[in-house]
Amino acid sequence: MPLPPDLHVHTEWSWDAPRGDMERSCERALEIGLPAIAFTEHADWALVHAGQHPVDLAGYLEAVERCRARFKSLRILTGVELGEPHWFPKETAELLAAGQLDRVHGSIHCIRIAGEMLDASQFRDRAGLNFPAAVREYFRETLAMVDSGQPFETLAHLDYPKRYWVAGAAPYREEDFEAEIRAILVAAARTGRALEVNTTRGDVLCPGPTVVRWWREVGGQAVQFGSDAHQPDKVAAGFATAAQVVEAAGFKPSPDPTSQWRR
Ligand SMILES: [Zn+2]
Ligand SMILES: [Zn+2]
């Protein structure tokens, strides 16, 4: 089975990737025989971390052009990962009007709790937080994003809070949130989105096999793969396993190597 394209990679143009390196990520992609790579930098306006800032799109696009000139045998796609675009429709529209982008992901990282924005990675540091309720709120916010009409094509890391599960809480089970997750999948299928299987740099599939099966059941048409690498050696990490899971759920590689897998 061919390796799928890695359509979710961060470089030095993302605020949280100090070890990111676009040129070395291209070299790595060629080394492991990847057909294509998309650099989807963070476009965040919910500023909850020190040093967080949206992407410098012009500088980023110049860097992509330099890589395209240097690595002619690799298909290099442009992109962004929009954080909470439905909270920032004006900023989103301005960013997307400022340059041509091949791939646009929609992501929820933050929810609002008692009027304050909080990233799911911060849940475990918040004393007294009702964790299951916060995860439900995360899924409610994801549904709101999918239903908002914001112009993104891929639903990224659907169950992101799973990466930062609180010690001592009951383990994550998709079935405990089945109604919430299925509602999101139905909305994503209805609006023609692709479901991303994010390998979390080889650590954990977001989402896992159960949700990918639900995606097919509700009529989802396309799946795409992302490593969420923030440094070159993590490009396509975990893709062999992810490809098996997606194939077993009933999706097939596209003849176009830059493309999603389809049912
Ligand atoms: Zn993300
Ligand atoms: Zn990402």
Side-chain angles (χ1 to χ4, degrees):
M1 202 182 334
L3 273 184
D6 191 342
L7 301 178
H8 187 157
V9 174
H10 297 274
T11 73
E12 67 271 32
W13 293 94
S14 283
W15 66 271
D16 64 344
R19 299 167 71 188
D21 187 322
M22 190 183 287
E23 292 200 4
R24 287 194 44 231
S25 297
C26 292
E27 286 169 1
R28 175 72 184 155
L30 288 170
E31 220 173 271
I32 60 177
L34 214 59
I37 192 168
F39 296 117
T40 54
E41 312 296 351
H42 284 295
D44 291 332
W45 298 279
L47 304 179
V48 297
H49 301 286
Q52 195 170 12
H53 58 80
V55 60
D56 162 12
L57 197 67
Y60 156 80
L61 288 171
E62 284 172 25
V64 170
E65 284 311 319
R66 285 195 296 274
C67 282
R68 282 174 171 164
R70 189 167 159 199
F71 303 100
K72 292 209 164 63
S73 57
L74 179 67
R75 298 285 299 273
I76 304 172
L77 308 184
T78 57
V80 285
E81 177 182 5
L82 301 172
E84 300 81 30
H86 59 310
W87 291 356
F88 304 97
K90 181 169 167 285
E91 290 83 350
T92 298
E94 284 170 4
L95 179 83
L96 297 181
Q100 202 270 317
L101 296 167
D102 301 314
R103 290 288 182 276
V104 179
H105 303 328
S107 288
I108 298 293
H109 302 110
C110 294
I111 60 168
R112 289 194 181 97
I113 293 180
E116 192 193 345
M117 291 188 294
L118 200 63
D119 189 295
S121 66
Q122 299 168 322
F123 288 177
R124 55 190 171 193
D125 305 324
R126 185 57 54 110
L129 179 79
N130 180 334
F131 183 62
V135 175
R136 268 176 227 291
E137 175 61 14
Y138 177 90
F139 286 129
R140 193 205 58 74
E141 199 64 67
T142 303
L143 179 60
M145 175 181 75
V146 173
D147 275 340
S148 69
Q150 285 299 309
F152 63 91
E153 62 184 7
T154 316
L155 178 58
H157 53 55
L158 166 62
D159 46 15
Y160 168 82
K162 174 166 85 177
R163 292 182 182 173
Y164 307 103
W165 211 245
V166 169
Y172 178 69
R173 291 173 68 243
E174 282 95 349
E175 290 80 2
D176 294 340
F177 303 97
E178 182 167 353
E180 288 86 350
I181 293 173
R182 280 186 180 271
I184 295 165
L185 296 176
V186 166
R190 191 181 58 231
T191 53
R193 263 70 177 240
L195 180 71
E196 178 189 72
V197 172
N198 187 305
T199 63
T200 317
R201 309 170 267 286
D203 286 342
V204 61
L205 293 185
C206 283
T210 302
V211 173
V212 181
R213 278 198 303 274
W214 291 347
W215 175 237
R216 196 170 195 288
E217 273 172 38
V218 305
Q221 296 294 318
V223 174
Q224 72 183 49
F225 297 81
S227 66
D228 223 344
H230 284 61
Q231 59 192 69
D233 61 329
K234 299 294 187 189
V235 167
F239 269 33
T241 305
Q244 282 169 9
V245 162
V246 171
E247 188 182 43
F251 295 89
K252 293 190 267 312
S254 156
D256 172 0
T258 66
S259 185
Q260 300 151 342
W261 286 23
R262 303 190 73 85
R263 56 193 294 147

